[in-house]
Amino acid sequence: MQSSLALLITILLLPLALPGRAQLVPGSMGKDGLCHCVVHLANDLIPLKKLEQLQSTAQELMDKYDQELLRVANASLILKLLADSDQHDLCALRQEVDSLKDQLRECEREKEEVASGHSGPPLPPGSCDHGGLQKVSRPFVVQLNWRGFAHKAGTWGRDSAPSPDSSLYWVAPMTTDSRYFDYYQMYKSYDDLVLMKNYEKRSFGYGDGSGNTVYKNFMYFNYYGTRDIAKLNLSSNTLVLRRPLPSATYNNRFSYVGVPWKDLDFAGDEKGLWVLYATEESKGNLLVSRLNTSTLEVEKTWQTNQYKPAMSGAFMACGVLYALRPRSTHQEEIFYAFDTNTGRERHLSILLDKMLETLHGINYSPLDHKLYVYNDGYLINYDLGFQMLKHKPSKLPAEKFSWFPIAPKSVKPNKTSSP
């Protein structure tokens, strides 16, 4: 019965689906109770079936195409991820190889030092029981300065007085034109500096250049537009003293190469507070003066034979001046040393790698024997290695280190000027 009903429905629907193409002929009822009829269909029904088959085949092909396209896209993505992963792994492997090579060189160098008797335990804070600078570590990048990448010039460091009681860190980015010192931040510890917490932000817009240093909780810098030394109390953020530095050039006269406005470069070390500068009388050659921290008077001055604008920077350690010059965009050379303890100089070749092209502020810390360098907006530091002594310093012959005598130049004390 169900089959008869299906046939009847089909017969009734055919004229609707194919108008004018089929004719319905009356049927008869058989003995079995089934209806028998004959339907005459047009000859052009066959193309319609072919069309339906083609549509069905086309749909199957489209489905297969979509599936294959998805597979190809997935395969392409997987290949790209694999290629990126391989490239990343290759770069990481190369970096690891370079690191291992550096470690190997460092190990061989330390082995040579042990064999020659120049290696020993780390220097205690504030110690000068060594034979001078021997090596500099690879740079350690701490972070970008707190004002951003646009502030390429600046300076930072620790309190350079050799007192283990002080854990102060400070950062002073210059303005974007690399000239003015107008803000600084202080941190109570290295962890606070890295995490950017527990800091004090101060405004003080009277400084020229990136020659600042901090010594016994006072910041020393070049007062704007003058040859004056300025002394700033960090506890109260007040200017407590100003004094002109006799004959010192200023307003970007005889600054370091590539580092503008650094006419007066202050430094602190185990021996005291220093200022590095040039005069017209010295024809631009670098002068080293030790300062009285209470009065800012010059206690003594030494003249070197090194032209300051040919140098990229300098620092003091144990009363010895170390001067740098650029070798390339990624390397500096510590090429010259002048010992104020003996009035002797010597030539060196200690290479110092750098992240970016220009080293602005350079400060040495006697507490940890590190250099704190402001490198085109980034805060980096270096470990310094000093030559260990077999004997006491007083018994060691000076000629062993190839020092050459230079006559020191004295400067008369000058009068104090008020801020």
Side-chain angles (χ1 to χ4, degrees):
M1 186 65 182
Q2 290 180 351
S3 59
S4 300
L5 181 60
L7 177 60
L8 178 60
I9 292 172
T10 304
I11 292 172
L12 293 174
L13 289 178
L14 275 173
L16 298 176
L18 302 170
R21 297 180 182 273
Q23 295 180 357
L24 184 61
V25 179
S28 61
M29 180 71 70
K31 294 180 179 181
D32 54 1
L34 297 176
C35 181
H36 298 274
C37 61
V38 178
V39 179
H40 297 277
L41 298 176
N43 293 331
D44 56 355
L45 184 61
I46 297 176
L48 181 59
K49 290 183 178 180
K50 290 183 178 180
L51 178 61
E52 291 175 350
Q53 292 175 356
L54 288 174
Q55 288 178 342
S56 176
T57 304
Q59 186 62 44
E60 292 178 1
L61 290 175
M62 289 295 294
D63 293 341
K64 290 182 179 179
Y65 174 78
D66 291 339
Q67 293 176 1
E68 293 300 324
L69 185 63
L70 181 59
R71 290 177 184 175
V72 170
N74 290 338
S76 177
L77 178 60
I78 292 172
L79 288 174
K80 184 178 184 302
L81 292 175
L82 288 174
D84 293 343
S85 177
D86 290 343
Q87 186 176 6
H88 175 75
D89 292 342
L90 181 59
C91 292
L93 180 60
R94 287 176 178 173
Q95 292 177 356
E96 185 66 22
V97 170
D98 291 340
S99 176
L100 290 173
K101 287 181 179 179
D102 292 338
Q103 293 178 25
L104 179 60
R105 284 194 292 266
E106 186 72 16
C107 183
E108 291 174 347
R109 188 159 50 241
E110 291 177 356
K111 183 178 179 181
E112 292 175 357
E113 291 173 0
V114 170
S116 60
H118 294 317
S119 112
L123 286 172
S127 173
C128 290
D129 189 16
H130 56 74
L133 183 64
Q134 186 177 41
K135 61 181 179 179
V136 178
S137 73
R138 294 178 64 86
F140 178 79
V141 181
V142 179
Q143 63 191 24
L144 182 66
N145 79 88
W146 57 272
R147 296 182 77 175
F149 186 74
H151 296 264
K152 292 182 176 293
T155 183
W156 80 294
R158 300 186 67 176
D159 190 326
S160 55
S163 171
D165 298 331
S166 176
S167 59
L168 173 68
Y169 288 82
W170 57 277
V171 182
M174 305 291 107
T175 51
T176 54
D177 61 0
S178 302
R179 176 172 183 178
Y180 303 115
F181 154 57
D182 56 351
Y183 285 95
Y184 65 97
Q185 282 188 175
M186 297 185 298
Y187 307 84
K188 295 180 180 179
S189 68
Y190 180 78
D191 289 342
D192 287 345
L193 169 67
V194 173
L195 299 175
M196 296 292 290
K197 67 176 186 177
N198 300 327
Y199 60 84
E200 295 182 51
K201 182 179 178 180
R202 302 283 180 82
S203 172
F204 196 87
Y206 301 105
D208 250 357
S210 57
N212 306 31
T213 200
V214 171
Y215 188 83
K216 294 185 177 179
N217 205 47
F218 289 91
M219 182 177 286
Y220 297 87
F221 60 93
N222 182 191
Y223 197 86
Y224 167 71
T226 71
R227 61 167 57 92
D228 290 2
I229 301 170
K231 181 179 180 180
L232 179 69
N233 187 328
L234 295 183
S235 298
S236 60
N237 194 38
T238 55
L239 186 66
V240 296
L241 189 61
R242 274 177 59 190
R243 177 184 290 276
L245 182 61
S247 302
T249 56
Y250 60 99
N251 279 344
N252 209 29
R253 175 70 168 160
F254 297 135
S255 188
Y256 296 121
V257 60
V259 186
W261 305 105
K262 201 172 179 180
D263 301 282
L264 306 189
D265 187 11
F266 296 91
D269 70 353
E270 296 85 351
K271 301 294 184 178
L273 178 66
W274 309 83
V275 60
L276 316 176
Y277 60 104
T279 65
E280 297 294 347
E281 291 80 8
S282 73
K283 297 180 175 59
N285 283 354
L286 185 72
L287 302 179
V288 182
S289 290
R290 187 173 62 231
L291 299 174
N292 183 300
T293 56
S294 298
T295 64
L296 299 185
E297 292 181 349
V298 173
E299 295 180 341
K300 192 172 182 179
T301 296
W302 294 260
Q303 180 172 331
T304 73
N305 60 9
Q306 297 298 315
Y307 187 54
K308 186 169 179 276
M311 302 159 52
S312 56
F315 63 95
M316 300 290 298
C318 291
V320 177
L321 166 79
Y322 293 97
L324 295 84
R325 63 186 175 192
R327 290 257 307 211
S328 69
T329 57
H330 293 288
Q331 200 170 60
E332 300 272 322
E333 180 186 35
I334 301 175
F335 74 99
Y336 175 81
F338 182 91
D339 190 348
T340 63
N341 302 291
T342 62
R344 294 171 179 263
E345 67 173 2
R346 65 176 171 136
H347 297 282
L348 310 171
S349 183
I350 300 175
L351 300 181
L352 182 147
D353 294 329
K354 53 187 178 180
M355 289 289 298
L356 298 172
E357 186 170 354
T358 306
L359 305 183
H360 295 271
I362 302 174
N363 283 286
Y364 165 72
S365 170
L367 291 176
D368 50 20
H369 306 288
K370 290 179 182 288
L371 274 188
Y372 291 86
V373 178
Y374 193 102
N375 183 197
D376 277 338
Y378 285 89
L379 313 183
I380 63 176
N381 62 45
Y382 301 85
D383 290 314
L384 300 185
F386 295 91
Q387 189 172 28
M388 295 295 102
L389 301 175
K390 293 182 180 179
H391 311 284
K392 293 182 179 180
S394 59
K395 295 182 180 180
L396 190 68
E399 60 270 14
K400 183 178 180 65
F401 301 104
S402 302
W403 292 94
F404 305 104
I406 296 290
K409 176 184 177 182
S410 299
V411 172
K412 295 180 180 179
N414 50 354
K415 295 181 180 181
T416 305
S417 64
S418 301

